Structures are given as C-alpha cells and as structure tokens.
C-alpha cells in the first residue's frame, strides 16, 4: 500500500524530533519517497545532514531559498506529495496553522497545501492540556486534519502524562491508513460553505446516511498535574468498531480518551481526557441514530485533585484522596427522553459472572445491547489484540468465539446494520 507513495515530512522543534529519523527510515524501507522539511526549531535537535542522508533527498529549510524557488517553489512543494506529515507537531506549529500564519517554510506549506495533513503532536503535558492547545486541536480536527497521538508517558522534562509523540511504528500505521483512504484533500473555503472531504466507506452501504457515535479508550482522572487514575484499556476495540461502521457507510463521531492506538481515518475525531469531558462531547455530537459506548470510562474521579504536584513530606504522611462518582454516560444516553438513538450498545468489562453481570447492567442502564467480555488478567483481552465476547440483547445471550478485535468489530457492525 505504501510502495510508491510520496510524503512531505515536516519536522518541528522538540526533543521528539529524533523519532523523525526512525520514521524516515521506516518510510524508506516501505518504499515511500520522503521530502523532508526541517524547521528552525527542529534543526536544534536533529541535523540537516542526518535527515538528508536518511531521506536521500535535499532538506528544505528556508522559505526564501532562491534556488528552491526557481526549481520547486513552495507552492509546488506543498502539492507534490500524496500526504503531508508533521512529526513532531509542536503547540506553536499547531497554533500557526489555526491562525493561518505563514511566516516560515513549514507554516507556509501547511497553508498552501491541497493534500491531506497528518499531525503527530509532541509537547509537555501541561502544554497539551492547556485550553488554547485543546481548542486548536479541535479546530484542526474539524478542518479535516488527521492526528495520531499523543501518547501518555514520561517526558524529557521529567513530568508524566499525555504529550509524548507517537512511536514511529504507530505513525507509519496512521500514514498507511490515511493513504489507504484515497486522495482526499483539505477542505476549501468558498463564499458560501466549507467543502469537506468525502468520508471513506461505500456511499450506498447499509449504514449510509446514518450517524453513529462511538466512544473509545480509557479516561484519565487527574490526581495532580502529573498523576492520574486510569485503566488498561488500549482503545483498540472501540477504534476497530468505528472503522467497521465507517466502512459500512456510516458517518462516525469518534469520541476517544487517551488511547494507545491511533484513531481511524475518515471519521470525526473528538479527543477527551476525563469522563466529564467525554459526557460533554457525546452530548455535543447528538443527535445520532446509533450509539456504541465502547469506552472504559473510569467510575470515579478524585474530588480533591491538586493543582500542583503532590510531594512526599519525608515523614510518612500519605495524601488523602477523596473520590466522587463520574457521570454514567451509557445510562444517560440510554434513558434520554428526547433524541435517544434508535440503538444504544454498551460494553461490559467483567472479571466474574460475565453473563449475569452484563445482563443486569443492560437492564439497569436501559441499553439495547451489551457487549460483554472477561477482562481477567489471564485472558489478556484488555490491552490485547483479541477479544471473546457475549452479546446480550432482549432475546438473551449469544457467545462469540475468541477472534481478533477487528473481526469482532466487523461482526458487530454487520449485526448493527441488520438491526437498523
């Protein structure tokens, strides 16, 4: 799929720029032609010589390079690739694109391109969580820009949280997914409307014209700015469900917590951190014909979360965490008096009496279906690549054999399509 593709790679400024070298190596190994653009900040972390050697191409750095303008101007450069990739995408570069600035080569190329753009954000956790960055991220996603990551982990600055750039292998997968979806371009502004790229999937598929909300991944409930409560959900199953529904022609609003796997291409991606943010995002995405609540939402949040890092006092005194219940998103959607989706599908991750607990959950929440699975550590399902589910409906329970999560998603999507 990647053989013969052309990628314009913009390397932003940040310690994660070193990962761009591995990404170039992987792209070249897959038969991709890479045209590198190195920002001034990026050149502080990787050298033009190393980038050029790996890409086997000249590195572009200067907007006002007269030789480049004579041979391949920035307009042609912005349109000569099949996909534009920004890795790392810094908070500054994202803000420039939102503001329509074009004061260096990278921002000018992003403003001038007519090709799809994939960004891999990388920044300090507080920068990523800042309201300005979140607004910029949401704006870019609405404008049709694709994202992979960021991931959670330890930062070069010593803090821990979301903001680590996705690993090169993940970015490569996201690039392949973006290229697989075809030559969609960025939306063009006209005097009357925004023309958005067509979503992939069969135009006349069984879910064509249907709007589906899919929630996915874990939620992160802050303890302090560097710690949080979460679970081991990777988001793989919810991501696969969103892709399968997309492939049946549905318009998918994908509300995802900080998952380990990249969001699927061709869907509207709404990224959240906490259960409260997920509840708000789902409400904003309504109305919908179908809701698939696959997210592993934390049941509780820390009511007395600190606005600064909690320190050990050296005397053995332990912090006291006060917990409060998070909103029950599945129950709220299932019990809407107005605007309830025709079909509401919930998920139940259980460690014992799977069918009994899931059946009780369906009745208690008011969902139409419950997809139940055993997530005991011995199963390897939570965070793994396979799943073994029991589908609970008003007609009873149906056991599905263990299979890859993509196959589970396809079978569930087909079942949903038949029910509509």
């Amino acid at each position: 799929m990647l053989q013969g593709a052309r990628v314009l790679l913009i390397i932003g400024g940040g310690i994660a720029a070193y990962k761009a070298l591995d990404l170039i190596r992987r792209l070249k190994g897959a038969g991709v032609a890479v045209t590198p653009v190195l920002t001034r900040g990026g050149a502080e972390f990787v050298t033009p010589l190393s980038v050029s050697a790996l890409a086997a191409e000249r590195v572009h750095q200067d907007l006002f390079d007269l030789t480049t303008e004579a041979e391949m101007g920035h307009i042609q450069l912005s349109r000569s690739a099949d996909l534009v990739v920004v890795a790392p995408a810094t908070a500054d570069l994202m803000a420039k694109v939102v503001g329509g600035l074009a004061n260096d080569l990278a921002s000018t190329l992003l403003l001038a391109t007519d090709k799809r753009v994939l960004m891999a954000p990388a920044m300090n956790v507080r920068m990523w969580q800042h309201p300005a960055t979140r607004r910029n991220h949401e704006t870019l996603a609405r404008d049709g820009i694709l994202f992979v990551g960021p991931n959670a982990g330890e930062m070069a600055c010593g803090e821990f949280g979301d903001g680590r750039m996705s690993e090169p292998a993940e970015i490569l997968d996201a690039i392949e997914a973006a290229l697989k979806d075809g030559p969609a371009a960025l939306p063009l502004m006209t005097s009357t409307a925004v023309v958005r790229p067509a979503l992939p999937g069969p135009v006349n598929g069984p879910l064509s014209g249907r709007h589906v909300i899919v929630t996915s991944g874990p939620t992160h409930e802050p303890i302090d700015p560097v710690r949080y409560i979460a679970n081991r959900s990777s988001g793989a199953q919810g991501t696969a469900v969103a892709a399968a529904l997309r492939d049946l022609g549905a318009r998918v609003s994908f509300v995802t917590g900080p998952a380990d796997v990249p969001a699927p291409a061709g869907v509207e991606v709404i990224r959240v951190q906490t259960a409260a943010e997920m509840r708000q995002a789902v409400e904003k995405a309504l109305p919908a014909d179908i809701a698939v609540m696959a997210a592993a939402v934390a049941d509780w949040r820390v009511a007395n979360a600190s606005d600064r890092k909690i320190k050990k006092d050296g005397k053995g005194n332990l912090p006291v965490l006060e917990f409060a219940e998070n909103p029950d998103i599945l129950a709220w959607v299932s019990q809407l008096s107005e605007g309830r989706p025709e079909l509401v599908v919930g998920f139940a991750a259980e460690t014992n009496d799977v069918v009994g607990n899931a059946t009780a959950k369906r009745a208690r929440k008011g969902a139409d279906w419950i997809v139940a699975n055993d997530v005991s550590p011995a199963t390897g399902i939570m965070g793994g690549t396979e799943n073994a589910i029991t589908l609970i409906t008003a007609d009873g329970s149906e056991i599905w054999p263990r299979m890859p999560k993509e196959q589970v998603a396809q079978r569930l999507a087909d079942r949903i399509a038949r029910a509509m």
Side-chain angles (χ1 to χ4, degrees):
M1 181 66 207
L2 290 173
Q3 182 69 39
R6 297 166 299 168
V7 166
L8 179 66
L9 176 62
I10 297 174
I11 304 173
I15 188 62
Y18 79 91
K19 293 183 180 179
L21 300 178
D22 187 22
L23 177 61
I24 294 172
R25 182 183 62 79
R26 292 171 182 266
L27 286 168
K28 296 294 290 183
V32 178
V34 180
T35 301
V37 174
L38 188 60
T39 65
R40 180 176 298 179
E44 296 291 329
F45 297 92
V46 295
T47 67
L49 180 61
S50 60
V51 174
S52 177
L54 288 169
E57 293 279 352
R58 176 185 174 182
V59 176
H60 300 272
Q61 293 180 270
D62 192 352
L63 177 59
F64 299 107
D65 185 324
L66 296 180
T67 301
T68 299
E69 286 301 304
E71 296 175 354
M72 177 186 278
H74 60 269
I75 298 299
Q76 184 181 350
L77 186 63
S78 73
R79 301 178 186 179
S80 61
D82 300 307
L83 180 72
V84 179
V85 178
V86 187
T90 63
D92 177 71
L93 194 48
M94 290 170 60
K96 284 182 177 179
V97 178
V98 169
L101 300 181
N103 58 0
D104 60 8
L105 181 58
S107 58
T108 300
L109 292 174
L110 289 166
L111 192 62
T113 190
D114 62 350
K115 296 302 193 300
R116 177 173 283 170
V117 176
L118 171 69
M119 288 188 171
M123 64 198 72
N124 171 267
V125 59
R126 297 304 293 270
M127 294 174 68
W128 175 249
Q129 293 175 350
H130 194 282
T133 305
R134 304 315 299 272
R135 287 194 301 270
N136 290 340
H137 174 259
E138 292 171 3
T139 299
L140 292 170
R142 286 197 300 269
D143 287 346
I145 288 180
L146 307 174
F147 284 89
V148 52
N151 295 339
E154 187 175 357
M155 307 286 175
C157 60
E159 294 187 351
F160 186 94
D162 294 310
R164 283 175 59 93
M165 190 172 90
S166 296
E167 296 304 314
E170 297 176 274
I171 300 174
L172 186 66
D173 288 342
I175 290 172
E176 185 171 11
L179 292 171
K180 181 180 178 181
D181 289 333
L186 286 175
L188 298 175
M189 293 299 297
T190 70
S191 59
T192 57
V194 175
V195 182
R196 297 193 178 277
L199 295 179
V203 174
N204 296 317
L207 291 177
S208 178
R210 297 285 194 169
H211 178 210
V212 185
I213 298 173
V214 178
T215 65
S216 182
T219 62
H220 286 181
E221 309 300 328
I223 297 173
D224 62 21
V226 298
R227 303 180 182 92
Y228 55 83
I229 295 172
N231 55 55
R232 294 185 175 89
S233 172
S234 67
Q237 189 63 82
T239 298
V241 170
L245 292 167
R246 172 205 67 192
D247 291 344
L248 294 184
R251 177 171 70 89
V252 179
S253 295
F254 184 62
V255 182
T256 177
D260 295 336
V261 298
V267 303
E268 179 191 14
V269 181
I270 304 110
R271 299 183 187 277
V272 300
Q273 292 286 321
T274 66
E277 291 174 352
M278 184 170 284
R279 160 70 164 75
Q280 293 171 359
V282 170
E283 183 174 15
K284 188 175 180 180
L286 288 169
D289 301 293
I290 305 159
V292 181
M293 305 284 100
V297 182
D299 290 325
W300 305 282
R301 68 182 187 278
V302 179
N304 61 335
S306 175
D307 61 357
R308 59 184 62 188
K309 183 178 178 181
I310 301 172
K311 300 281 190 177
K312 292 187 292 186
D313 64 3
K315 300 177 182 178
N317 295 318
L318 301 179
V320 177
L321 302 182
E322 300 174 1
F323 290 92
E325 282 194 7
N326 270 327
D328 191 326
I329 303 173
L330 174 60
W332 167 70
V333 171
S334 299
Q335 298 169 25
L336 283 172
S337 57
E338 294 183 7
R340 183 192 189 277
E342 294 178 44
L343 179 65
V344 177
V345 181
F347 275 61
E350 304 291 346
T351 57
N352 65 290
D353 192 12
V354 174
V355 173
N357 286 332
T359 301
K361 180 174 182 176
R362 192 189 80 85
R364 186 172 68 253
K365 308 283 189 180
D368 299 303
W369 300 352
I370 289 289
V371 178
N373 57 6
D374 185 346
V375 295
S376 301
T379 67
I381 284 176
M382 181 162 276
T385 60
E386 295 183 330
N387 207 346
I389 73 157
T390 301
L391 181 64
I392 309 293
T393 70
D395 298 325
S397 61
E398 178 181 322
I399 299 174
W400 294 3
R402 187 171 180 129
M403 65 185 82
K405 289 182 176 179
E406 291 79 9
Q407 292 184 20
V408 172
Q410 292 165 6
R411 185 167 175 175
L412 180 62
D414 289 340
R415 185 69 175 268
I416 289 172
R418 292 199 304 270
M420 298 304 292

